[in-house]
């Protein structure tokens, strides 16, 4: 097809040249004015024949360029959108702040005891309150010794251990549920008016007054303690 179009264009140009030559010979000095319309038409036809291209080829070139541009734009937008992944660092910062808090000690925590539920009083609740002006970390469980005749800590119940560290802000409390006995008539219980508590990581002995005017009845073989928790979980530590 292209070869035929080129031949047609050449024939058209050749014919135009012959016509102009004959006209020039016949008209003499008036060649420029009489040959102008025909030369213009012939040149236009020849140019159209040479430069003509199928419409499909032009469309393909345009779409290819726009496609590459769109692809580059889409890649750029994806790259910029993916750069926001560093925003989820607030949880990590909170965990670091909790881990960096110093351990609570007998010097900045007071411990008190209160009865739990009604008679027979089988449980008490220990409250540890941060009396300092800064946060501290309360770990583990209270190391309790009720009786001089039983020089060993009350065992802790593993299921009461909280999932996250307990960090007490200034003035904040934490709680530990403590079992004294099963409440049976035939139990081997002993009266206790005060007892000792130590915090995890601090060997200082804290003297705690037992609740009630007559103190509490403790069966050393049945006594158990829960871990320190930031809230009083009634019924959660069922032991």
């Amino acid at each position: 097809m292209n070869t035929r179009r080129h031949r047609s264009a050449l024939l058209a140009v050749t014919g135009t040249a012959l016509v102009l030559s004959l006209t020039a010979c016949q008209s003499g000095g008036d060649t420029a004015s009489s040959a102008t319309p025909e030369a213009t038409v012939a040149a236009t036809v020849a140019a159209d024949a040479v430069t003509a291209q199928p419409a499909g080829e032009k469309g393909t070139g345009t779409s290819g360029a726009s496609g590459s541009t769109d692809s580059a734009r889409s890649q750029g937008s994806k790259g910029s959108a993916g750069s926001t992944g560093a925003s989820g660092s607030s949880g990590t910062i909170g965990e670091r702040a909790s881990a960096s808090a110093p351990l609570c000690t007998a010097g900045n925590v007071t411990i008190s005891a209160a009865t739990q539920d009604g008679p027979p009083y089988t449980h008490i609740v220990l409250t540890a309150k941060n009396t300092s002006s800064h946060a501290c970390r309360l770990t583990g469980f209270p190391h309790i010794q009720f009786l001089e005749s039983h020089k060993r800590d009350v065992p802790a119940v593993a299921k009461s251990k909280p999932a996250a560290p307990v960090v007490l802000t200034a003035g904040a409390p934490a709680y530990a549920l403590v079992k004294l006995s099963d409440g049976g008539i035939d139990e081997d219980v002993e009266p206790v008016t005060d007892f000792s508590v130590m915090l995890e990581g601090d060997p200082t002995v804290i003297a705690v007054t037992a609740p009630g005017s007559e103190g509490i009845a403790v069966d050393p073989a049945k006594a158990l303690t829960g871990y320190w928790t930031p809230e009083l979980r009634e019924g959660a530590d069922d032991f």
Side-chain angles (χ1 to χ4, degrees):
M1 293 294 294
N2 292 334
T3 303
R4 293 180 180 177
R5 289 181 180 178
H6 285 303
R7 288 179 180 176
S8 300
L10 291 174
L11 290 175
V13 172
T14 303
T16 303
L18 291 175
V19 171
L20 293 175
S21 299
L22 291 175
T23 305
C25 293
Q26 293 176 359
S27 302
D30 199 31
T31 301
S33 60
S34 61
T36 299
E38 295 177 357
T40 303
V41 172
T44 303
V45 173
D48 290 341
V50 173
T51 59
Q53 292 182 1
E57 295 178 3
K58 292 183 180 180
T60 304
T62 304
S63 62
S66 62
S68 63
T69 303
D70 293 341
S71 176
R73 289 178 181 174
S74 63
Q75 290 177 358
S77 62
K78 290 180 180 179
S80 61
S83 63
T84 59
S87 61
S89 60
S90 59
T92 304
I93 295 173
E95 292 175 1
R96 289 177 182 175
S98 299
S100 64
L103 285 175
C104 297
T105 64
N108 53 28
V109 170
T110 59
I111 298 178
S112 59
T115 56
Q116 173 77 355
D117 298 330
Y121 295 102
T122 59
H123 291 73
I124 61 173
V125 175
L126 297 183
T127 300
K129 185 178 180 180
N130 181 5
T131 57
S132 70
S133 59
H134 58 80
C136 66
R137 185 163 37 95
L138 191 62
T139 61
F141 53 89
H143 295 265
I144 305 170
Q145 288 188 3
F146 281 118
L147 301 167
E148 289 291 332
S149 58
H150 295 79
K151 287 290 187 180
R152 66 182 182 89
D153 292 346
V154 174
V157 179
K159 69 178 181 179
S160 65
K161 185 177 181 179
V166 179
V167 177
L168 300 181
T169 57
Y175 307 94
L177 185 65
V178 181
K179 178 181 178 181
L180 306 176
S181 66
D182 286 335
I185 299 176
D186 298 330
E187 279 190 283
D188 187 11
V189 296
E190 296 186 40
V192 174
T193 56
D194 55 58
F195 54 95
S196 65
V197 176
M198 289 190 298
L199 301 177
E200 192 82 24
D202 184 5
T204 305
V205 176
I206 304 173
V208 180
T209 302
S213 58
E214 298 180 359
I216 54 179
V218 179
D219 184 348
K222 303 293 179 64
L224 295 169
T225 182
Y227 280 72
W228 293 113
T229 56
E231 73 285 334
L232 180 58
R233 305 184 300 179
E234 296 183 10
D237 299 331
D238 188 12
F239 57 87

